């Protein structure tokens, strides 16, 4: 909080923050005639949308005290925004103003009492926030008189032409309001001031033994020499910052970092043969830093080319000026080209590091720190301009060695020749230059799919779409930038938007093996650091033929290859991000793990640099799960859904199984031998089907399941796994089984044995039938059920499946336990026969392939890793209500876990809930550790820590069942997910169709008439996401569903929900619309409450005002979303 003082002595505490769209009304109310005389008439929303930087002062009540908007070009249409620099330098003495160091004031307003204090506060804040900014200009075609407060800080620009352009031109210089800090060598007498800085901002003095000496810093300052230097920065003669640098750097400690683009931080010095031997008087320390290899022509030496920042501290009030130290320290070492600094992983990134380049690790390392580099070349100024034909050779040199360079050069040639690509879409190309050398290139094309992007991605979370013309949207085709200038990335994007007259720049990221991926982007991190990831939207599945001309545009409904999307807009080019270097390791590519990573990746203001996923088969494949078959699905992530998420770009994937956890050294051992270090470990491996261990009983003698020893059914199989025994757990397993069956089984006459007792055995049987395996060759061997309930909660579905298998002649065997493989052979490969014990006679089957879907539990390697690391394990990994295990650094989530017995809720575990929602809640719980913008959570009520959380989203199960039935079951989370609906649900059951005809639809309402369960069994494909949106909706929202059903007006729910009215309910923003309606209808005042009480027996309790508000809200919802809901009429259309 800052305090403003008016001329009359009135004080107001204010917060300086970036402006938000919600500020528009308050800003508009502050616009006075004198402000209009200077800045012209303004549309505040449009101004906030297009401004590069907008700053607001708000008081404790969040009332707007003052506001200023800054652009990268002058006000109005005085000059083309792309050409203001020559205009300004021609007509005014402003030769030092460049696009890099200049912004333009487009609006300033303030409450009358605080104009003078506000303008100074805002200007200081802007100069502090933008380190390279030197000048703020006010150049406007409206010739008005500046307010006295503005006159004090803006001075007129001297004109060079007469009469010159008709405009007002003023300039505010950094030196007047926020001068750069004075840097000088540190002196011993600065010791106390420096110690004060360290004491306030770091725990170094309490944790480092070497500085426990009373005068360590004094000795460090006193011992300065050409290799070790210290400096302080001053403001008004007061020391506010300290830095210590040294050229004595052991580069061998940095071998695990990717330093190839910086020559390993070595400088190569060539020698001729006459001077082959080094000087014997060289210091021993220098010789350690110098390597002298020889070749046939002579000798050369490699010497360290870097110096290191050892200590750094600066007063919080001046932290934004940390960058002032950089030019000074380079002057101390004129022969060295790189400044480096290492920081602990868990240390928040301080502002100095925002100018440095983070160097990625070349190999997985246990080093607990990150390396940052600033090259000397980064001190130079970058100029961005349109590319010309003479740049081609320089661009060719820049992109040499990149895999997609030919695509880039082809588009560059198209730009030179026709200004458009091979499809005729306009292209624009820009280069970044430093001292005449090309160091970067960006090629963009006009975005042709703006409506598709708007409909399929939530870009309206970041922009007001209506304030951006179609021609202002563009797509990054290629982007290459020399790493030495990465800290200019945002400036480059800002300049490209200005020069190209664009406001939105998109970058598409296709899956790695996608043929559409032909964009040359190097480095991708430079784009991701500046852009915000855009969430994909859940799509309505339209009955296009039935809608006819009322269907959405073909541009929206056309099927495009899926991609992840990032956005750079004008107002984001000066938006900083919080970098998080903490090593977050997720074990298991389950729904829980993927949703956890999804939340972290989509935090727009956070950049997680060290996200790692350990998965047995790597990242889930991009192949279509529905085409492969075998396993049922939760519909959490389809292959298309995964392709639309930026996980490939943000997450490092380690392929292998977790085989050990070292809690002391904080690393995970992977089956390939790799050690993956972590700061936060997330265990969410889920439950897996495991290879069954034969009980080994002698089936030549009469034996039943009741006679089996208890321990024999829980043994681990340790022998060799037969090549024709498949245990299916994920898409990789299913694809391997699919390939093997097509190559080695389908055309033969052997039997297929499917073993287990879950919905997956039935989906697997259907897959075998669809592959052409005859039913009489398939033996479905069901294990004894763990509970009396069936895996199908609806007996009608189970009946249909049994009938379909009987019709296909699939042989079903109940209550069987695997006893022997190949008659007890210890090396049963290939597997030719299997024997089972039953409740009656033993079962013997010939076997060509054995598909195992039994023995589901915690993976054995995961169990040993957890158990051997002494985490509490009680049939599952034990966690508390906040996901933590007995180790604070290790969290668990999903079906792998159970709650501690101290909660007395053994019937509830996270397996009862939607795994995707659980992963989202886990991320929400961890985010406050990394996000400084989040406010501390409210204190929970007494005793809340003894309660386990309950989640609301539905449990979903689907798949293709025998008979060709498409199956979907959606239900409310419960302690027993397979139990039949309660009686009150059965009474409210809405059923149409029959399983025999393949159009069965069953829907149950709870006591509040909300949809609680939904079961579909159909021979036709199901619009899955439409039906998922029905869960939790009130029957009245669904077209008075219950009333119409009771009146006999609904004969087919499939047809009923295919009607156009239902599409509005399936819209992804309908839930927001519901909340808005609830706010309108909620009654808070006593008078309204009394009216409701008096009209309790009257159904018409809404006042005319509320009815009008409801209608208005509905019209706004349909109008705003008319691109996806064109089947609804809206005002003005007819």
């Amino acid at each position: 909080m800052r305090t403003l003082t008016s001329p009359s002595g009135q004080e107001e505490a204010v917060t300086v923050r970036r402006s938000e769209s919600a500020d528009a009304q308050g800003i508009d109310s502050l616009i006075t005639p004198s402000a209009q005389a200077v800045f012209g008439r303004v549309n505040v929303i449009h101004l906030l949308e297009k401004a590069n930087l907008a700053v607001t002062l708000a008081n404790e009540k969040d009332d707007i005290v003052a506001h200023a908007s800054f652009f990268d070009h002058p006000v109005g249409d005085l000059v083309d925004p792309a050409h203001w620099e020559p205009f300004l330098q021609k007509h005014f003495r402003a030769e030092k103003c460049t696009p890099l160091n200049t912004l333009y004031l487009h609006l300033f307003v303030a409450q009358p009492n605080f104009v003078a204090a506000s303008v100074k506060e805002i200007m200081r804040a802007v100069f502090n926030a933008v380190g390279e900014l030197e000048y703020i200009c006010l150049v406007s075609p409206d010739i008005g008189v500046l307010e006295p407060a503005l006159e004090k800080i803006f001075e007129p620009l001297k004109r060079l032409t007469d009469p010159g352009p008709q405009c007002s031109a003023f300039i505010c210089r950094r030196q007047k309001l926020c001068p750069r800090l004075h840097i000088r060598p540190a002196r011993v007498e600065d010791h106390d001031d420096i110690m004060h800085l360290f004491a306030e901002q770091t725990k170094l003095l309490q944790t480092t033994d070497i500085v426990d000496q009373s005068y360590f810093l004094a000795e460090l300052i006193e011992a300065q020499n050409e290799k070790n230097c210290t400096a302080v920065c001053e403001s008004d003669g007061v020391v506010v910052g300290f830095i210590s640098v040294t050229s004595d750097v052991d580069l061998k400690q940095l071998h695990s970092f990717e330093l190839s683009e910086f020559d390993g931080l070595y400088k190569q010095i060539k020698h001729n043969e006459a001077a082959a031997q080094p000087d014997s008087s060289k210091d021993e320390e220098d010789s350690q830093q110098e390597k002298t290899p020889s070749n046939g022509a002579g000798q050369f030496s490699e010497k360290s080319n870097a110096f290191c920042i050892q200590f750094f501290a600066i007063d919080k009030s001046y932290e934004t000026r940390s960058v002032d130290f950089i030019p000074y320290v380079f002057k101390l070492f004129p022969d060295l080209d790189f400044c480096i600094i290492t920081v602990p992983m868990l240390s928040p990134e301080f502002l100095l590091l925002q100018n440095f380049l983070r160097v990625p690790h070349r190999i997985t390392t246990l080093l607990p720190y990150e390396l940052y580099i600033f090259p000397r070349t980064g001190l130079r100024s970058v100029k961005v301009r349109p590319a010309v034909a003479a740049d081609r050779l320089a661009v060719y040199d820049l992109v040499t060695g990149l895999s997609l360079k030919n695509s880039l050069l082809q588009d560059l040639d198209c730009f030179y020749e026709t200004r458009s690509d091979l499809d005729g879409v306009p292209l624009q190309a820009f280069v970044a230059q430093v001292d005449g050398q090309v160091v970067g290139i960006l090629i963009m094309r006009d975005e042709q799919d703006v409506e598709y992007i708007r409909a399929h991605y939530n870009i309206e979370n970041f922009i007001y779409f209506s304030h951006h013309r179609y021609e202002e949207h563009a797509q990054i085709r290629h982007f290459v930038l020399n790493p030495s200038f990465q800290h200019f990335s945002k400036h480059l994007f800002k300049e490209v938007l200005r020069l190209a007259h664009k406001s939105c720049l998109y970058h598409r990221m296709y899956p790695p093996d996608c043929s559409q991926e032909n964009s040359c982007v190097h480095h991708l991190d430079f784009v991701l650091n500046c852009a915000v990831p855009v969430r994909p939207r859940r799509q309505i599945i339209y009955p296009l033929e039935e809608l006819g001309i009322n269907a959405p545009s073909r541009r929206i409904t056309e099927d495009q290859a899926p991609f992840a999307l990032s956005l750079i807009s004008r107002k984001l080019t000066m938006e900083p991000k919080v970098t998080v270097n903490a090593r977050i390791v997720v074990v298991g590519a389950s729904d829980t793990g993927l949703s956890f990573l999804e939340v972290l990746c989509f935090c727009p203001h956070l950049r997680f640099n060290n996200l790692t996923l350990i998965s047995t088969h790597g990242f889930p494949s991009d192949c279509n799960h529905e085409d492969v078959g075998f396993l049922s699905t939760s519909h959490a992530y389809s292959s298309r859904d995964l392709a639309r998420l930026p996980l490939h770009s943000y997450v490092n994937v380690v392929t292998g199984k977790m085989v050990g956890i070292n809690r002391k050294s904080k690393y995970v051992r992977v089956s390939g031998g790799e050690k993956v270090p972590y700061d936060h470990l997330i265990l969410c491996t889920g439950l897996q089907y495991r290879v069954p261990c034969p009980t080994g009983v002698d089936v030549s003698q009469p034996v039943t399941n009741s006679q089996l020893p208890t321990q024999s059914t829980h043994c681990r199989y340790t022998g060799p796994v037969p090549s024709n025994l498949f245990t299916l757990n994920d898409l990789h397993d299913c694809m391997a089984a699919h390939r093997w069956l097509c190559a080695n089984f389908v055309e033969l006459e052997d039997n297929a044995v499917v073993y287990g007792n879950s919905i997956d055995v039935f989906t697997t049987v259907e897959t075998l039938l669809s592959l052409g395996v005859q039913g009489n060759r398939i033996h479905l061997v069901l294990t004894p059920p763990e509970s009396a309930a069936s895996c199908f909660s609806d007996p009608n579905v189970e009946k249909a499946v049994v009938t379909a298998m009987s019709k296909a002649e699939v042989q079903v065997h109940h209550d069987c336990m695997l006893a022997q493989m190949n008659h007890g052979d210890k090396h049963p490969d290939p597997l030719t026969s299997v024997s089972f014990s039953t409740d009656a006679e033993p079962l013997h089957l010939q076997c060509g392939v054995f598909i195992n879907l039994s023995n589901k539990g915690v993976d054995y390697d995961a169990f040993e890793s957890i158990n051997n690391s002494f985490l509490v394990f009680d049939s599952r990994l034990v966690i508390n209500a906040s996901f933590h295990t007995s180790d604070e650094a290790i969290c668990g989530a999903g079906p792998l876990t159970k709650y501690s017995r101290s909660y007395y809720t053994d019937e509830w575990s996270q397996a009862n809930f939607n795994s995707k929602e659980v992963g989202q809640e886990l991320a929400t719980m961890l985010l406050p550790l990394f996000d400084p913008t989040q406010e501390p959570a409210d204190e929970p009520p007494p005793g809340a820590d003894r309660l386990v959380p309950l989640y609301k989203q539905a449990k979903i199960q689907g798949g293709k069942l025998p008979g060709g039935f498409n199956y979907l079951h959606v239900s409310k989370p419960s302690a027993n997910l397979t139990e039949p609906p309660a009686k009150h649900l059965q009474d409210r059951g809405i059923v149409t169709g029959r399983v025999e005809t393949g159009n069965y639809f069953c829907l149950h309402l709870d006591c509040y008439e909300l949809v609680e369960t939904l079961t579909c069994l159909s021979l036709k494909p199901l619009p899955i996401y439409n039906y998922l949106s029905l869960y939790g909706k009130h029957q009245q929202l669904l077209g008075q569903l219950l009333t119409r059903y009771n009146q006999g007006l609904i004969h087919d729910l499939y047809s009923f929900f295919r009607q156009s009215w239902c599409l509005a309910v399936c819209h992804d923003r309908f839930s927001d619309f519901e909340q808005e309606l609830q706010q309108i209808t909620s009654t808070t005042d006593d008078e309204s409450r009394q009216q409701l009480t008096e009209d309790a027996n009257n159904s018409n309790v809404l006042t005319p005002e509320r009815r009008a508000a409801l209608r208005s809200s509905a019209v706004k919802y349909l109008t705003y979303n008319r691109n996806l809901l064109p089947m609804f009429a809206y005002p003005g259309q007819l």
Side-chain angles (χ1 to χ4, degrees), residues 573-730:
T573 54
M574 289 187 170
E575 188 78 28
K577 283 193 176 186
V578 177
T579 298
V580 181
N581 288 325
R583 296 167 295 190
I584 302 173
V585 176
V586 177
V587 182
S590 60
D591 291 347
T592 306
L594 293 175
S595 65
F596 170 80
L597 291 171
E598 178 188 354
V599 173
L600 298 190
C601 290
F602 276 113
C603 290
H605 59 289
L606 300 181
R607 179 72 167 94
F608 289 90
N609 284 323
N610 288 310
L611 296 178
T612 301
L613 172 66
I614 299 175
S615 175
T616 305
H617 297 125
F619 194 79
S621 174
D622 297 317
C623 296
N624 196 310
H625 184 284
E626 290 78 12
D627 289 344
V628 178
F630 292 105
L631 296 177
S632 62
T633 175
S634 65
H635 291 293
Y637 293 101
S638 67
S639 57
R640 188 175 184 86
D641 293 334
L642 291 174
R644 297 168 71 198
L645 302 180
L647 299 184
H648 280 293
S649 305
Y650 286 85
V651 181
N652 174 44
V653 179
V654 176
T655 301
K657 295 182 72 174
M658 176 179 68
V659 295
I661 303 173
N662 189 317
R663 290 169 55 189
K664 183 177 181 181
S665 300
K666 285 194 170 184
Y667 66 81
V668 175
R669 283 192 300 111
V670 184
S671 53
E674 193 171 354
K675 295 179 179 179
V676 182
Y678 68 85
D679 297 306
H680 299 275
L681 178 62
I682 312 298
L683 301 177
C684 46
T685 59
L687 303 179
Q688 284 78 38
Y689 295 118
R690 301 169 295 187
V691 178
C693 182
T695 58
V697 299
D698 185 2
V699 290
S700 63
Q701 304 295 326
V703 63
T704 62
N705 291 337
S706 60
Q707 297 172 310
L708 296 178
T710 305
Q711 63 272 19
S712 67
T713 60
H714 296 89
C715 294
R716 177 179 182 180
Y717 180 78
T718 56
V721 179
S723 58
N724 59 339
L725 189 156
F726 295 94
T727 299
L728 307 181
N729 281 304
D730 57 24

Side-chain angles (χ1 to χ4, degrees), residues 170-184:
F170 302 88
I171 189 169
C172 173
R173 307 176 194 274
R174 168 186 288 278
Q175 196 63 28
K176 186 170 185 179
L177 287 178
C178 189
R180 296 192 181 275
L181 299 176
H182 172 61
I183 315 293
R184 62 166 175 81

Side-chain angles (χ1 to χ4, degrees), residues 325-362:
F325 271 115
I326 297 178
Y328 180 87
V329 294
F330 270 103
K331 291 179 182 178
L332 299 176
F333 303 102
D335 58 333
L336 301 180
D337 293 330
F338 299 99
C339 174
I340 66 174
I341 183 172
T342 58
V343 294
M345 294 281 191
L346 292 177
S347 173
E349 187 181 69
F350 43 95
L351 292 182
L352 176 67
L353 295 182
Q354 292 183 1
N355 299 280
F356 280 63
L357 169 66
R358 174 184 169 269
V359 182
H361 292 276
R362 180 170 53 86

